[in-house]
Amino acid sequence: SISTLGERINMIRCLLAFLVIVASVGASLATPSRIIILRHGEKADEWKLCGVGQQRAKALAANFLGRDSKNSLFASGEQPAAFYAITLHTLELASPAAESWKLPITLFSVVPEPEKKKELSIKSLNVRTEEAVQALMADPNLNGKTVVMVWEHKHIANAKLEAAFPGQKITLRQLLKLDELKDVPATWPSGNYDYFWIVDFAGGSSTPTGIAMAKQSFAPPFDKLPTNDWDKPNRLKSASGCELKGR
């Protein structure tokens, strides 16, 4: 009958609406259990790492982030679900560790702009950082897993940059709600290449439950890499071939 057909159509509509709600709730709960954030290594220029930064990439794979690393940041039997990167520097740093796991790197790519167009690079980094976090938090394959994000330090945390874009969330500190946690630094110092921010989430919530700051420290043959304390000089020398900001 017509009434029966109409009832069936209404039931189908209700079912579809319910499925959409369930899917949206499921997507909101697709949260990694841990995100390991670190900066790219020491760089030679806007395009590549210097020798020190290249050694840091190898050291991180051998000691913290690679398969069978000596002081793995992953639980026993666990492997990272994904590596995220954004620039050539971050890609270069992440590559040895990701390769050891035979994992691709998810790259939200931004390439350097000429000095006169620096503002374009900043705006691109703003957009791509936001896109990366949106993708990260909506991917059901990452739910309950550990993800490594190798990022540009100003787009991890930088109070001056955040103030320049009021009303926007452009850093990982803002986008991952790290600013809701106590004692999270407002700015990642320019001279620190040697720290992890290890961020934990629980129960599918997009609000972190805590953050630990851990300094990278290496045994030979990587023991000469800078391991300066937070916001202290890294003592890089001009002979290193590295940019000397924050030395």
Side-chain angles (χ1 to χ4, degrees):
S1 67
I2 294 176
S3 59
T4 302
L5 178 60
E7 290 173 357
R8 289 178 178 175
I9 290 173
N10 285 333
M11 288 179 63
I12 292 171
R13 285 174 176 168
C14 290
L15 178 60
L16 289 174
F18 174 75
L19 291 174
V20 168
I21 292 171
V22 169
S24 65
V25 170
S28 68
L29 297 178
T31 304
S33 62
R34 172 168 286 182
I35 300 177
I36 299 171
I37 301 170
L38 65 158
R39 184 187 178 183
H40 61 73
E42 294 85 344
K43 59 185 185 179
D45 53 35
E46 291 301 308
W47 296 90
K48 63 183 180 182
L49 300 181
C50 64
V52 176
Q54 292 167 359
Q55 285 297 301
R56 186 176 295 280
K58 295 176 182 178
L60 286 165
N63 288 272
F64 294 107
L65 299 176
R67 185 186 291 272
D68 300 323
S69 57
K70 296 177 181 178
N71 303 294
S72 179
L73 295 184
F74 311 113
S76 178
E78 179 193 23
Q79 75 172 61
F83 284 81
Y84 277 45
I86 190 168
T87 58
L88 296 174
H89 297 134
T90 62
L91 178 64
E92 191 173 358
L93 187 87
S95 289
E99 183 180 354
S100 76
W101 293 103
K102 301 188 184 305
L103 283 175
I105 295 174
T106 303
L107 180 64
F108 287 80
S109 59
V110 177
V111 297
E113 293 281 357
E115 190 62 37
K116 292 181 179 179
K117 297 183 178 180
K118 207 68 174 177
E119 186 68 20
L120 290 178
S121 285
I122 294 172
K123 290 181 177 179
S124 293
L125 286 163
N126 293 352
V127 171
R128 298 299 266 164
T129 299
E130 181 180 10
E131 290 172 348
V133 172
Q134 289 175 347
L136 178 70
M137 291 301 191
D139 188 345
N141 294 318
L142 303 180
N143 189 36
K145 305 290 182 63
T146 297
V147 176
V148 179
M149 295 190 77
V150 187
W151 228 246
E152 292 289 326
H153 74 292
K154 287 185 179 180
H155 280 80
I156 298 174
N158 189 278
K160 185 177 180 180
L161 182 65
E162 291 171 5
F165 293 89
Q168 299 183 49
K169 294 184 177 181
I170 58 171
T171 64
L172 297 183
R173 184 177 184 273
Q174 294 172 310
L175 291 160
L176 293 174
K177 303 180 183 180
L178 305 183
D179 51 359
E180 297 182 15
L181 298 176
K182 185 179 179 181
D183 298 328
V184 175
T187 297
W188 189 295
S190 62
N192 278 111
Y193 297 87
D194 59 328
Y195 272 79
F196 301 106
W197 283 9
I198 303 172
V199 186
D200 289 322
F201 298 83
S205 172
S206 62
T207 300
T209 57
I211 181 173
M213 289 177 58
K215 187 164 72 168
Q216 301 165 16
S217 182
F218 304 108
F222 303 111
D223 54 319
K224 301 301 182 185
L225 289 170
T227 57
N228 47 307
D229 289 339
W230 189 255
D231 206 16
K232 299 298 182 182
N234 57 38
R235 305 191 185 283
L236 282 170
K237 306 297 184 184
S238 57
S240 67
C242 305
E243 284 193 359
L244 300 180
K245 293 178 180 178
R247 63 174 177 169

